[in-house]
Amino acid sequence: MGLGGGQYRLPVPLWLLLTCLQQGTGLERISYVPQLSSPTLAGTLTQSTFTLEQPRGQFSRLNISDLDTIWLVVAHSNATQNFAAPQRVEDIPVSADFSQRGYYLTLMANRLLYPGNQPGNQLRVLRVGNDTRCSPKRRGCNHPLPGPGPYRVKFLVMSDRGPVAETEWSSETRLQQAKALQAVPGPQSAGTVVIIAILSVLLAVLFTALLALLIYTCHDTCRSAPISGPEQSTCVRRYNTHHVTDPPAVGAS
């Protein structure tokens, strides 16, 4: 620039301009990308949940206090550009707004729950979508995810004055999907049909033989040994002997 009125101006450095813009937004950018937990951990991905590593030691900044809340932002992959950090706690989107807004906040915590020193014998993870009992309209509800995704997440720090800091967005996460049963194509399908037909015929023949055997057994048993109850009369066959006559009545001449 040049001199003017005994004063001069220097070009504003680019980094200072960016700093001013960043301060204008009021958000500090934390260079941390949320990560899925180890693939060896069972249940890392299900049909309605996924598991993240805890962001331990990522919020030890001077402008973040122990009273500030740390939220997990869950968003559809195509809705991250539309995300706007809420300025008040009352404006925090809930899980019931997910289909309309494309994002919501859940898993409220503070930095005391994410210390930097992690004991080696403890597993620290965050399971997204793990609460089936909470109401989707309740703030912070960790309701099961509605579909396979893809989803992206990041952490947002908020104080009573508004948003303070945020991390980077994670990479896309896709949940597991139920696989529909499909018929085996090709010659194997015809062979399967033949096998099923043969087994059906054999099963019908076996059933008919068992039914005939049961009927014959019941009929033979009823003929040879009739069963009567206490209130039932039993028919006994009467035998007449022709060579025996009745004895004469007493007093007959």
Side-chain angles (χ1 to χ4, degrees), residues 2-138:
L3 297 174
Q7 297 179 356
Y8 63 93
R9 297 180 180 178
L10 294 176
V12 179
L14 181 59
W15 65 267
L16 181 59
L17 179 60
L18 294 177
T19 302
C20 293
L21 292 176
Q22 182 67 21
Q23 290 179 353
T25 62
L27 282 176
E28 178 185 359
R29 182 62 58 87
I30 301 175
S31 58
Y32 171 76
V33 179
Q35 301 289 332
L36 288 176
S37 59
S38 173
T40 59
L41 178 64
T44 298
L45 292 175
T46 67
Q47 295 183 16
S48 60
T49 66
F50 62 90
T51 305
L52 297 171
E53 294 182 355
Q54 287 191 1
R56 305 184 66 83
Q58 300 297 327
F59 304 103
S60 57
R61 304 295 198 276
L62 294 179
N63 63 333
I64 300 177
S65 70
D66 295 341
L67 300 178
D68 295 339
T69 55
I70 302 174
W71 295 88
L72 179 71
V73 183
V74 182
H76 288 295
S77 182
N78 57 0
T80 56
Q81 300 296 330
N82 301 327
F83 173 74
Q87 300 301 312
R88 302 179 306 168
V89 177
E90 294 79 7
D91 299 331
I92 291 178
V94 296
S95 179
D97 302 329
F98 194 25
S99 59
Q100 180 179 1
R101 295 194 180 187
Y103 55 85
Y104 68 98
L105 274 63
T106 184
L107 294 177
M108 183 184 68
N110 56 59
R111 69 177 184 179
L112 296 178
L113 298 177
Y114 302 139
N117 53 344
Q118 177 181 2
N121 58 349
Q122 293 185 6
L123 181 62
R124 304 283 184 173
V125 294
L126 298 174
R127 186 176 292 275
V128 183
N130 194 41
D131 194 349
T132 59
R133 296 173 296 178
C134 67
S135 171
K137 297 182 180 180
R138 182 175 64 83

Side-chain angles (χ1 to χ4, degrees), residues 237-241:
R237 181 177 298 179
R238 182 177 181 180
Y239 295 90
N240 295 322
T241 55

